[in-house]
Structure formats: C-alpha cells, structure tokens
Amino acid sequence: MFPLAPAYPNEDAFYCRFFTEVGSYLDAANRRLHEVDFRAEENEEAFSVCPFHDTRRGFLMNKAALTQITGEWPSVIEGIQFYTSLFGVKSEQGLNLARAWRISLASMFAPLYLYKRSTAPYANGSLPTPVSGVFKIMLDVPTTMDLMFMQGHNTGIASATDKTMPQQIQAFADDNLILLNGEYACAGSPGLIDNVVSILFEDRESNPDQYSHFKEYFKDSQEFLAFAYYMTNQYVMGTMYLLSTMTSMEVAYRQLRESGRYSPLVHDENEKLSAYERRRRIALEIMQDPENRESVLQQFRKLAEDGSLWGISASTVLDLSGCFERSVDFLKKVEISDARQIAELHGLYQTEIENHLIHAQRMAESSIGTHAIFPVPVRFGNPRQNPVQLLRNML
C-alpha cells in the first residue's frame, strides 16, 4: 500500500465545495439534490440491500431516491438526451470520451445555473425533479472519467471512440470500487447505468420537436453552455490543485516519517472508505511517479481549454496555461525541497491558484448576470485545517 498521510479536508477539492453548495438545495419533491446519507430518514423504505452481482452486492442502497428517479424515467432520459444534443459532433472529434465528460459536467452544473441565473431563477424547493434526477444519476460519471483520464494519460484515451466505451466506463467503476461510498452503494442497476452512459456517446441533433420540457427549463441554452464552460474550467483548476496538493503533502510526510517525526495511521485493508477517499488513493497511486505528473495535468488542461466546443467566442475563452505551468513548476520544486520548504511553497502556490479561480468565478458570474455562486472569498477550506497548516504544526 502506498504512503497515507492524513486525509486532506474535503473542502480542498473543488467538486467537494461544489457539492456542499448544491447539497443545501431541495427539489420540487422536497428531496435534497445531493443525498449524502439516506439512512437518516426515518422510513424503512428509504434504503434496501443491493442485489446486483458486482462489487456492490450486500451494501445498502438509496431506494427512495431511485424510486423517485425511475418514476420519472422517460423525463430523466429526455434530460440526458437534451444535454447531449447541446454538444454537436464535429467530424474530427467523433463520439469520444472527452465529449461524454463535458456533457456529464454540464448536467452536473445545471441545477446551480437554474438557481443562480439572473433571469427567472428557480427558488429553493422548486427545481423540476427531472433536472434533479439527471443530476443525481450523473454525479459520479465525470469523477469516474477523471480517473480514467489519469490512468490513460499517455494513451490518448480522451479521444477514444470505441463503441464499447460505455461498458468500459461501467467496468472501470466496478473494478475500482467507485460505485461504493462507505457503507452504501450506487443504487442504479447495471442496465440502467449502461443506458444512461450510452446516451453520452450518441450524436443527437436539437430540433424544435425534441426535448420540449428541458428546452422550457433552459430557454437560453447558449447562456447555460457558457456557464458550464466556466464552471468546468474551475473544476479543472480545482482538480489540478487537489492533485498537486496530495502529491506534495505525500512527499513532505514521507520525509517526516523517515526522520521519525511522523507515524502514519494504520488503515485496515477492509475499511469501508468514502468515495472521496477512494478516489484520492487511486489518484495518489498514479501521481506518485514524477514522470506521470506533467502529462496528467496536461490531459486535464486539454479537456477544458477549447471554448469552441461550448460555443464560446475567442475573446471570452479562459487561458489555463498559467494554472498549468504554475502547477507543474510547483511539483518540480517539491521534488528537491524538504518538508518545511514544501509547506512554504504550497502557501504561495495556493494563492496563485486562488487567483486563477477568482478570475474563472467572475467569468461564470458575468455569464449569467448574478453573484455569489460560491461563498466569497474563494478559498480552499478552513485555513486551520489546511494540509499545509497541519504540516507546519508537525515541524
């Protein structure tokens, strides 16, 4: 097992901050968008035991949420098809994994857009359940693809057009236990998951006779795409920050361990890990090799940088080169620094990345004419829980 420093606060990951934000909202069925722990419901119908013959078998599943979603299944499918139709297929791109990733992120950012846009925003508790249903189904899709991109960073996996890609995504999630989260599991059946993911690899045209409900929700689809583009850039910056922080802290804690100043916690191999921690460990295995780091970050940069895929004009495209170069430079310096220097380097690095995020934040806000998409100022977690502060306290 690779070295395990203390788990870094979830707030350090952009997508965890995002989930904290949307998790406070209710949909029109009075259910939370991000149903973290359904066992808190005092209802025996809230959960069931997984019957599927895969790694989830025997784990608890969110039966109540699944019942809600399957009850509106045609509308949920229409929603996924609508999001897919917004990303037209260009001949040089094809139905590739990168396009599916972008579609899944757009569906993930859709509720935040509907709540925050300046024109006819939805109030808390009024979000149409088909929109929240797609959101719940798609939550783990982009983060699963993130890990696939990381593992295939030298293989051109982002441009893969294999017809079996939907099945490969599902197999990857099962093989890497991504369908598990602590004591409970994803509730979707293998057939349901395959059905949903397969739509992301379809070439769908948008015409007036299709997706009528979702076109009513997203009357200005170009505004929504612009917002999703800027949010995706924030997502990539947050991912770069997270990967760089994890890598640098592992180097620092290893040095402290070798000098006898730190004893890692003993982890039971059978421990039921959170989805966040499981992803962190998979990412760490990849990022431990210095030869992987630059190409992994480059992969994520390429995924987001083409604004034309979102219909964004050249004058409003975000430049991720500064964020990328800063991340690579930071990781290279970490390799020749001691633990104290790493803590100081990270302090400077965090400030730089936050500046990039603030710029992307303002662009996202300006695209929909509102403010405070996230609490201001944009920061990565509680400074007292910052991994750098934890490290400094040990030196």
Side-chain angles (χ1 to χ4, degrees):
M1 179 61 73
F2 51 82
L4 286 175
Y8 319 126
N10 284 9
E11 295 90 341
D12 279 355
F14 164 77
Y15 49 82
C16 290
R17 292 171 50 246
F18 167 76
F19 289 157
T20 299
E21 167 75 10
V22 298
S24 63
Y25 293 119
L26 300 173
D27 65 16
N30 202 40
R31 296 195 67 86
R32 289 191 178 276
L33 267 65
H34 191 208
E35 303 195 42
V36 178
D37 193 350
F38 51 86
R39 294 165 300 172
E41 299 183 37
E42 296 180 3
N43 180 356
E44 63 181 9
E45 295 298 314
F47 55 87
S48 60
V49 176
C50 178
F52 308 129
H53 294 283
D54 53 28
T55 54
R56 297 172 289 170
R57 189 171 181 83
F59 282 76
L60 295 176
M61 299 191 318
N62 190 338
K63 181 180 178 181
L66 185 62
T67 299
Q68 175 196 350
I69 291 170
T70 54
E72 299 190 64
W73 192 240
S75 295
V76 169
I77 290 297
E78 177 192 320
I80 302 171
Q81 292 172 338
F82 168 75
Y83 294 129
T84 300
S85 74
L86 297 178
F87 292 79
V89 179
K90 296 181 180 179
S91 57
E92 68 272 17
Q93 294 171 319
L95 304 170
N96 58 34
L97 191 63
R99 174 177 175 266
W101 176 82
R102 295 183 183 102
I103 297 167
S104 66
L105 280 174
S107 68
M108 193 172 79
F109 296 133
L112 192 61
Y113 165 77
L114 293 176
Y115 282 127
K116 297 292 186 178
R117 65 185 179 185
S118 59
T119 303
Y122 283 82
N124 188 17
S126 67
L127 189 74
T129 51
V131 177
S132 65
V134 176
F135 173 83
K136 292 174 184 180
I137 287 174
M138 299 299 289
L139 275 181
D140 287 332
V141 176
T143 51
T144 297
M145 292 185 194
D146 287 349
L147 296 175
M148 294 181 71
F149 291 134
M150 290 182 67
Q151 286 198 354
H153 60 93
N154 284 323
T155 65
I157 190 172
S159 58
T161 57
D162 192 321
K163 292 183 179 179
T164 67
M165 191 57 70
Q167 292 77 35
Q168 290 182 43
I169 293 172
Q170 185 168 335
F172 180 90
D174 191 34
D175 292 343
N176 290 278
L177 307 181
I178 295 172
L179 300 175
L180 303 181
N181 185 14
E183 297 180 348
Y184 55 96
C186 168
S189 68
L192 180 152
I193 296 172
D194 182 53
N195 186 10
V196 166
V197 177
S198 293
I199 295 173
L200 305 180
F201 290 86
E202 295 176 355
D203 184 6
R204 290 189 165 270
E205 295 183 0
S206 181
N207 64 57
D209 299 324
Q210 290 181 300
Y211 327 121
S212 57
H213 288 97
F214 273 77
K215 285 186 176 180
E216 182 66 24
Y217 306 147
F218 298 89
K219 292 183 178 180
D220 189 342
S221 59
Q222 191 53 54
E223 180 186 74
F224 166 60
L225 277 176
F227 176 78
Y229 165 73
Y230 295 124
M231 294 300 292
T232 296
N233 276 269
Q234 291 187 60
Y235 181 93
V236 169
M237 290 182 210
T239 299
M240 285 187 175
Y241 173 84
L242 177 64
L243 295 175
S244 300
T245 296
M246 289 194 307
T247 303
S248 62
M249 292 301 104
E250 289 296 327
V251 173
Y253 280 113
R254 183 182 67 233
Q255 295 174 359
L256 293 177
R257 197 167 56 248
E258 292 170 352
S259 65
R261 287 182 283 175
Y262 168 66
S263 298
L265 299 174
V266 177
H267 293 269
D268 183 351
E269 290 187 3
N270 298 318
E271 183 181 358
K272 295 177 179 177
L273 301 175
S274 69
Y276 173 84
E277 179 62 14
R278 195 180 304 282
R279 286 174 170 82
R280 186 178 80 96
R281 294 188 183 197
I282 295 172
L284 272 174
E285 286 188 315
I286 299 166
M287 295 294 286
Q288 275 194 122
D289 186 347
E291 294 185 1
N292 289 343
R293 296 168 190 168
E294 187 168 348
S295 56
V296 166
L297 297 182
Q298 184 70 272
Q299 178 81 279
F300 282 107
R301 177 194 174 191
K302 288 181 178 179
L303 287 169
E305 69 181 356
D306 190 349
S308 67
L309 298 169
W310 312 76
I312 306 298
S313 66
S315 62
T316 54
V317 169
L318 280 168
D319 184 2
L320 286 179
S321 59
C323 178
F324 169 74
E325 291 167 5
R326 189 74 183 94
S327 301
V328 171
D329 181 60
F330 169 66
L331 287 173
K332 288 180 177 178
K333 288 179 179 177
V334 161
E335 280 300 306
I336 57 174
S337 301
D338 61 27
R340 186 178 298 279
Q341 289 175 317
I342 290 173
E344 298 305 321
L345 278 172
H346 187 274
L348 296 173
Y349 170 70
Q350 175 169 319
T351 299
E352 293 264 358
I353 297 302
E354 285 180 351
N355 288 336
H356 285 290
L357 268 172
I358 289 170
H359 177 61
Q361 174 80 358
R362 289 172 179 163
M363 295 294 283
E365 291 169 352
S366 65
S367 72
I368 57 176
T370 189
H371 297 285
I373 295 175
F374 290 113
V376 177
V378 176
R379 289 199 62 80
F380 289 98
N382 184 335
R384 291 175 297 179
Q385 291 184 305
N386 186 287
V388 176
Q389 190 60 48
L390 295 176
L391 179 60
R392 286 176 180 151
N393 292 339
M394 300 175 64
L395 292 170

